[in-house]
Amino acid sequence: MARWFRKPVAAPDVAPESPNTGVHMSLVQMRTAMNSLPMGVVILSADASSKWNNRAIYGLFPAGSSDFSTFMARVDDLLGEALRGRTAETTIEFGEPMVRTLELTSLSLIDGGAAVIVDDITKRVLTDRVRTDFVANISHELRTPIGAVSLMAENLVAETKDTDVARMAGVILSEETRLNNTIGDLLELARIEFDGLSNMTDVEVMKIVEEAIARLRSAALAKSVMIAIEDFPDVVVAGDRAQLVSAVGNLLDNAIKFSPNGSIVKVAIETADDEVRIVVADNGPGISEEHLSRIFERFYRVDDARSRSTGGTGLGLAIVRHIALLHGGDVGVASTLGEGSRFALKLPLRRLGQVGDSNT
Ligand code: ADP
């Protein structure tokens, strides 16, 4: 059974002719070169009267297989579209349980014809799946025993009230929470690294911020911190919604953690040129100049003891930066000691008419 997922791509700019003047290749030489390519190539003439497949195409499926006919029908669709100037990149999966994944890229040729390039990406897809399974397994293998230890420590605290044993069990509990948070953040980083931007959609920035605020509401309430929403223009970015919520959530989490009780954390969405900035500002202790450039490093903390006491892992800002860079953006900070900090998650603004619009 074949499944396909279609991702529109921009029509490639026509590359200028290479300055190979004086170099003439015969049709036979061209054909030999095409036939020695590891990827499949199918070429259709401008008037759609003749179609040519290179040798790799015939190596993709056993002769006479029904998958081959399904595959060629899909290639014909893409060639027809490319003749009309609509090129695309498509992934097709064949066969069960041994799934093979092929990536098809269609091109409009300079002479008016069309071509489809076929790449067998089965190995790459399998490797990605193994990595994802690895992250899921690690999560289970580490969290299950930690959960058991934590349960025992809780029981000990309850059974040995106000004794040294209860106090020691309390320390075990709080260290377990820290370990659990660190594992959670490490796994989140690994997941972002493995998945990249495989779940790209158009996301309303307002929704990202609202979801992040909803997640942090109880933490803010516990410190009587008010989250004040300032400018909220109606803008859209292209990105992974869950990752972006997590990035804004990390900035808000820090702002609440480092703010004095009863203070205000301000959140605003600003736009400038082609950029959206989600700004989170607090009245916390601020960060001195010497630390500012390092706080986005993994496990870097300005005040180790304070970070530990607030349950910090030292990974939050590294996650924010990773997500920002993955989305073609960045994260910046301005801070004054004793006055507070202002973090800005910067993302490229999504303009109507860009690649990926349903009407393009
Ligand atoms: P943590 O889990 O320790 O908060 P982060 O990576 O989120 O780790 O932040 C790294 C360090 O940057 C923190 O330990 C803290 O010293 C500093 N920091 C981050 N956000 C703020 C903030 N809003 N105000 C003051 N310091 C901050």
Side-chain angles (χ1 to χ4, degrees):
M1 189 196 159
R3 280 165 280 163
W4 39 67
F5 315 95
R6 186 173 179 144
K7 183 173 83 181
V9 292
D13 291 336
V14 177
E17 287 259 27
S18 64
N20 286 333
T21 41
V23 178
H24 297 286
M25 283 185 110
S26 70
L27 199 56
V28 175
Q29 282 173 311
M30 279 290 209
R31 196 172 282 190
T32 309
M34 288 284 201
N35 276 333
S36 45
L37 289 176
M39 70 269 286
V41 180
V42 183
I43 298 172
L44 184 68
S45 61
D47 61 1
S49 64
S50 58
K51 192 169 74 178
W52 181 81
N53 307 330
N54 78 342
R55 198 166 287 155
I57 290 289
Y58 299 104
L60 289 170
F61 302 94
S65 117
S66 64
D67 278 347
F68 185 69
S69 332
T70 316
F71 161 75
M72 277 319 271
R74 186 69 191 131
V75 169
D76 287 344
D77 282 351
L78 287 171
L79 286 169
E81 291 282 302
L83 275 190
R84 288 186 282 279
R86 286 196 290 269
T87 56
E89 196 181 289
T90 304
T91 307
I92 312 182
E93 290 186 350
F94 285 98
E96 293 204 3
M98 289 290 291
V99 177
R100 287 185 53 214
T101 312
L102 302 178
E103 191 175 75
L104 276 57
T105 308
S106 61
L107 309 164
S108 302
L109 300 180
I110 203 159
D111 67 351
V116 168
I117 315 283
V118 185
D119 213 356
D120 188 339
I121 57 166
T122 310
K123 270 195 195 145
R124 201 173 81 203
V125 171
L126 280 179
T127 314
D128 285 350
R129 268 181 209 153
V130 169
R131 283 173 169 171
T132 310
D133 288 351
F134 177 72
V135 171
N137 289 342
I138 288 258
S139 171
H140 177 74
E141 294 298 329
L142 290 176
R143 284 203 157 128
T144 309
I146 289 172
V149 171
S150 147
L151 200 67
M152 290 298 157
E154 264 173 36
N155 286 342
L156 262 181
V157 171
E159 295 289 327
T160 57
K161 278 186 199 106
D162 299 328
T163 63
D164 283 348
V165 176
R167 272 185 289 280
M168 284 188 272
V171 174
I172 294 177
L173 259 182
S174 73
E175 289 299 311
E176 179 276 333
T177 307
R178 226 161 56 77
L179 186 57
N180 218 9
N181 290 345
T182 306
I183 291 170
D185 278 357
L186 277 174
L187 288 173
E188 185 171 358
L189 261 177
R191 219 171 284 128
I192 297 164
E193 271 165 5
F194 292 162
D195 291 353
L197 285 181
S198 52
N199 292 316
M200 280 277 269
T201 52
D202 285 352
V203 203
E204 286 171 63
V205 179
M206 207 160 64
K207 294 267 164 63
I208 298 170
V209 176
E210 281 170 356
E211 207 173 318
I213 292 176
R215 281 192 198 176
L216 271 305
R217 191 150 283 141
S218 56
L221 264 176
K223 285 190 74 176
S224 308
V225 167
M226 192 181 120
I227 301 177
I229 299 163
E230 300 199 318
D231 302 326
F232 259 36
D234 192 6
V235 283
V236 172
V237 292
D240 181 311
R241 186 193 173 101
Q243 286 182 16
L244 293 173
V245 171
S246 161
V248 178
N250 272 310
L251 293 181
L252 266 175
D253 183 33
N254 280 344
I256 296 166
K257 262 183 351 195
F258 292 100
S259 282
N261 283 8
S263 62
I264 298 175
V265 166
K266 291 181 184 162
V267 186
I269 300 171
E270 298 173 355
T271 53
D273 301 326
D274 283 344
E275 196 175 81
V276 184
R277 286 191 215 128
I278 304 173
V279 179
V280 178
D282 63 62
N283 295 312
I287 305 160
S288 66
E289 191 70 34
E290 62 187 296
H291 296 294
L292 272 186
S293 61
R294 300 206 55 194
I295 52 173
F296 296 98
E297 292 172 18
R298 291 178 191 195
F299 297 114
Y300 190 85
R301 300 169 178 103
V302 174
D303 179 343
D304 209 25
R306 178 167 184 159
S307 168
R308 281 169 202 279
S309 70
T310 53
T313 63
L315 288 167
L317 290 179
I319 292 175
V320 177
R321 187 173 65 168
H322 203 84
I323 293 172
L325 295 180
L326 202 59
H327 283 78
D330 203 355
V331 56
V333 55
S335 191
T336 311
L337 266 185
E339 287 185 18
S341 310
R342 188 178 190 273
F343 284 83
L345 172 65
K346 303 171 200 169
L347 299 166
L349 187 62
R350 172 85 162 76
R351 294 220 176 270
L352 282 179
Q354 281 183 327
V355 172
D357 277 350
S358 50
N359 57 354
T360 54

